[in-house]
């Protein structure tokens, strides 16, 4: 009996014309609106989430500094550099440094390009009239990267300014900024501290790098090497 | 939507026949059901879930009493069978027996004998007490056996 009933119902079919009219009716009513199926929604949510995570990750990676470059002479300026060698932040630590920082357009520029602009800038030339030497300190925990950056900086010194290049650990920059000075200046201060134990950070904020080097010469009679990684080059 | 029409049209056609609907009402029901489907925001977790949804909605549309005053809600059995002119005579006789059952038995008979649902599944689809479904099935079996002959017995 079950088979007979099943077979009988099996023969009943919807007419093709009925199906076509139904399709046309629904299409006209909904203007082609398509119902999103569960799997489509799932995929869309998953891909949106993934794209968002990727975007956040890219933004985070781009804006995470892995090195800093401290440029110190009469005024101080510091660049933050990401893993793609792009400058992502610039900070001045005195009036001229701040003026220079705001005047530069650093967006998406390589550090070599920005340094070349700094070395060519009028502000630097004016402030450095009596102090010919510019101290450039590369702060990076990766020694290989640090040496590479120093080499590039020396290459972009097209104006042939006299620069002293050195390197140190990145972590010092936080300590330096806490005291309101650039990292290059702070490192030099730490060197001076060995000879002048009573020296405070506030005492050196108004000094130029030239003055600080002179102080070191007076105490030791020679250039101090210090206990951080150094790689000195001087150019005429 | 086209996929759903191809997949469920025959089932909806059969349910309309079980409810003795004429061709115009059958077409109205088709349009209502698939329009509801297209606009429905429910996410179906499986094909079975979707099929059960279609069965429930179609039966509800068939029972919809808000028809035009000038239209009958059901038609005579002969007229229903005449619409399926392509069905073999032997099958028409079987369908005639099923469709002659009181209306409360027909959905249960269709879902049990043709769609193969269990009593418990039928109770969920029709939102009825499972004991009621068992009772309806047992009574319909007796009636069908009397009318169709008692050669085949279900276990």
């Amino acid at each position: 009996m079950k088979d007979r009933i099943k077979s009988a119902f099996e023969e009943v079919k919807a007419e093709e014309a009925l199906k076509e009219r139904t399709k046309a009716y629904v299409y006209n009513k909904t203007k082609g609106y398509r119902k999103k199926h569960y799997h489509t929604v799932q995929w869309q949510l998953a891909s949106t989430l993934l794209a968002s995570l990727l975007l956040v990750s890219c933004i985070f990676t781009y804006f995470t500094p892995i090195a800093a470059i401290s440029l110190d002479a009469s005024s101080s300026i510091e660049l933050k550099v990401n893993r793609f060698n792009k400058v992502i932040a610039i900070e001045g630590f005195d009036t001229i440094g701040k003026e220079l920082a705001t005047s530069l357009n650093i967006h998406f520029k390589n550090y070599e390009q920005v340094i070349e602009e700094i070395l060519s800038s009028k502000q630097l030339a004016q402030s450095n009239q009596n102090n010919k030497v510019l101290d450039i300190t590369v702060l990076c925990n990766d020694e290989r990267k640090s040496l590479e950056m120093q080499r590039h900086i020396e290459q972009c010194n097209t104006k042939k300014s006299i620069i002293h290049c050195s390197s140190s650990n990145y972590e010092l920059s936080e300590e330096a900024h806490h005291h309101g000075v650039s990292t290059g200046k702070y490192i030099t201060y730490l060197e001076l501290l060995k000879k002048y134990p009573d020296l405070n950070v506030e005492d050196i904020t108004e000094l130029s790098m030239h003055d600080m080097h002179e102080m070191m010469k007076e105490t030791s009679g020679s250039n101090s090497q210090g206990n951080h990684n150094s790689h000195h080059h001087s150019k005429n | 939507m086209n996929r759903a029409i191809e997949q469920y049209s025959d089932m909806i056609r059969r349910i309309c026949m079980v409810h003795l609907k004429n061709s115009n009402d059958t077409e109205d029901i088709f349009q209502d059901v698939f329009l509801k489907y297209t606009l429905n925001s429910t996410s179906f977790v499986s094909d079975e879930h979707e099929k059960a949804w279609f069965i429930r909605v179609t039966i509800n549309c068939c029972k919809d009493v808000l028809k035009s005053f000038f239209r009958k809600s059901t038609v005579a059995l002969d007229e229903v069978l005449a619409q399926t002119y392509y069905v073999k005579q032997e099958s028409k006789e079987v369908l005639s027996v099923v469709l002659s059952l009181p209306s409360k038995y027909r959905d249960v008979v269709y879902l049990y004998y043709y769609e193969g649902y269990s009593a418990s599944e039928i109770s969920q689809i029709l939102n009825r007490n499972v004991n009621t479904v068992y009772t309806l099935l047992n009574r319909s079996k007796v009636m069908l056996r009397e009318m169709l002959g008692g050669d085949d017995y279900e276990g």
Side-chain angles (χ1 to χ4, degrees):
Chain A
M1 181 173 75
K2 188 171 185 177
D3 290 339
R4 288 173 70 190
I5 295 172
K6 195 170 165 69
S7 299
F9 272 113
E10 186 65 37
E11 290 186 43
V12 177
K13 306 281 183 193
E15 297 81 5
E16 286 303 315
L18 173 61
K19 287 195 266 187
E20 292 307 314
R21 287 195 300 273
T22 303
K23 286 177 189 174
Y25 171 83
V26 175
Y27 183 84
N28 285 333
K29 279 286 183 184
T30 60
K31 299 298 176 199
Y33 162 79
R34 284 180 63 190
K35 175 183 163 69
K36 279 190 195 263
H37 290 281
Y38 184 63
H39 298 114
T40 308
V41 171
Q42 262 188 322
W43 276 113
Q44 284 183 344
L45 279 173
S47 57
T48 303
L49 188 64
L50 192 65
S52 301
L53 284 172
L54 207 62
L55 183 66
V56 167
S57 173
C58 287
I59 291 171
F60 181 77
T61 303
Y62 187 87
F63 287 104
T64 299
I66 57 124
I69 303 171
S70 184
L71 296 98
D72 303 279
S74 298
S75 51
S76 295
I77 196 165
E78 202 164 300
L79 314 177
K80 291 269 195 299
V81 180
N82 68 12
R83 65 180 64 251
F84 307 112
N85 296 328
K86 302 288 181 189
V87 175
I88 54 173
I90 183 167
E91 187 179 359
F93 290 89
D94 46 66
T95 309
I96 293 174
K98 286 174 182 168
E99 189 186 310
L100 185 56
T102 52
S103 71
L104 290 171
N105 178 13
I106 61 158
H107 293 299
F108 308 115
K109 284 183 181 170
N110 279 13
Y111 65 86
E112 299 103 315
Q113 197 176 348
V114 174
I115 286 175
E116 206 172 318
E117 286 181 28
I118 291 171
L119 294 177
S120 310
S121 68
K122 283 183 203 168
Q123 292 96 328
L124 188 71
Q126 279 171 3
S127 76
N128 235 26
Q129 277 173 359
N130 297 322
N131 303 297
K132 301 293 181 188
V133 180
L134 176 67
D135 274 71
I136 299 181
T137 313
V138 174
L139 304 141
C140 183
N141 293 340
D142 183 340
E143 193 175 335
R144 194 171 63 85
K145 176 80 179 173
S146 183
L147 289 172
E148 176 193 309
M149 288 178 73
Q150 283 184 67
R151 267 200 309 276
H152 287 177
I153 289 168
E154 285 158 12
Q155 285 167 9
C156 69
N157 181 21
T158 53
K159 288 277 179 181
K160 304 297 179 197
S161 309
I162 299 172
I163 59 173
H164 280 149
C165 248
S166 61
S167 62
S168 190
N169 290 329
Y170 187 74
E171 280 77 27
L172 277 174
S173 61
E174 197 177 318
E175 205 174 312
H177 296 168
H178 173 71
H179 291 290
V181 294
S182 70
T183 315
K185 205 164 192 179
Y186 187 72
I187 290 169
T188 310
Y189 158 75
L190 291 176
E191 284 301 308
L192 277 175
L193 203 56
K194 293 174 188 172
K195 302 298 176 186
Y196 296 96
D198 296 329
L199 195 66
N200 295 321
V201 177
E202 292 77 23
D203 297 332
I204 55 100
T205 51
E206 298 299 319
L207 295 179
S208 68
M209 289 302 286
H210 174 78
D211 295 337
M212 291 173 78
H213 284 306
E214 289 298 308
M215 280 176 73
M216 275 203 285
K217 281 181 194 172
E218 280 170 17
T219 55
S220 65
S222 63
N223 285 345
S224 171
Q225 291 299 312
N227 65 357
H228 59 264
N229 296 333
S230 285
H231 200 74
H232 287 276
H233 295 271
S234 58
K235 300 224 181 226
N236 292 323
Chain B
M1 188 262 294
N2 288 348
R3 187 270 316 167
I5 288 177
E6 293 303 323
Q7 190 170 349
Y8 297 110
S9 283
D10 292 343
M11 181 183 77
I12 294 169
R13 183 67 184 85
R14 293 178 194 118
I15 294 173
C16 288
M17 167 186 263
V18 163
H19 287 265
L20 304 181
K21 293 299 175 188
N22 63 29
S23 55
N24 288 335
D25 288 346
T26 297
E27 185 153 341
D28 284 349
I29 289 163
F30 260 70
Q31 290 171 359
D32 279 348
V33 169
F34 285 108
L35 184 60
K36 281 178 179 164
Y37 173 76
T38 304
L39 299 176
N40 181 36
S41 59
T42 304
S43 296
F44 299 112
V45 298
S46 65
D47 289 345
E48 282 306 313
H49 182 201
E50 187 182 59
K51 183 179 175 181
W53 182 92
F54 268 105
I55 292 171
R56 249 197 308 277
V57 171
T58 305
I59 290 174
N60 288 339
C61 284
C62 289
K63 289 178 179 175
D64 191 351
V65 296
L66 296 175
K67 297 289 186 184
S68 165
F69 176 80
F70 298 100
R71 294 164 73 177
K72 295 178 187 175
S73 63
T74 60
V75 294
L77 184 55
D78 291 341
E79 188 179 335
V80 171
L81 292 173
Q83 292 168 20
T84 54
Y85 55 88
Y86 47 84
V87 172
K88 291 184 290 199
Q89 187 56 37
E90 186 189 339
S91 298
K92 275 189 183 174
E93 287 169 9
V94 173
L95 290 172
S96 170
V97 166
V98 174
L99 300 185
S100 66
L101 293 173
S103 59
K104 60 182 177 181
Y105 297 104
R106 287 187 234 135
D107 284 329
V108 172
V109 165
Y110 171 72
L111 292 175
Y112 181 79
Y113 284 102
Y114 182 73
E115 296 294 347
Y117 286 112
S118 66
S120 132
E121 287 167 335
I122 293 169
S123 74
Q124 285 178 16
I125 292 171
L126 300 180
N127 197 27
R128 301 189 76 171
N129 187 290
V130 67
N131 290 331
T132 305
V133 173
Y134 274 120
T135 304
L136 290 171
L137 269 177
N138 287 332
R139 288 181 186 167
S140 65
K141 274 183 198 175
V142 171
M143 287 188 276
L144 287 168
R145 232 176 261 150
E146 284 174 8
M147 290 187 272
L148 288 174
D151 294 345
D152 299 330
Y153 287 88
E154 286 73 39

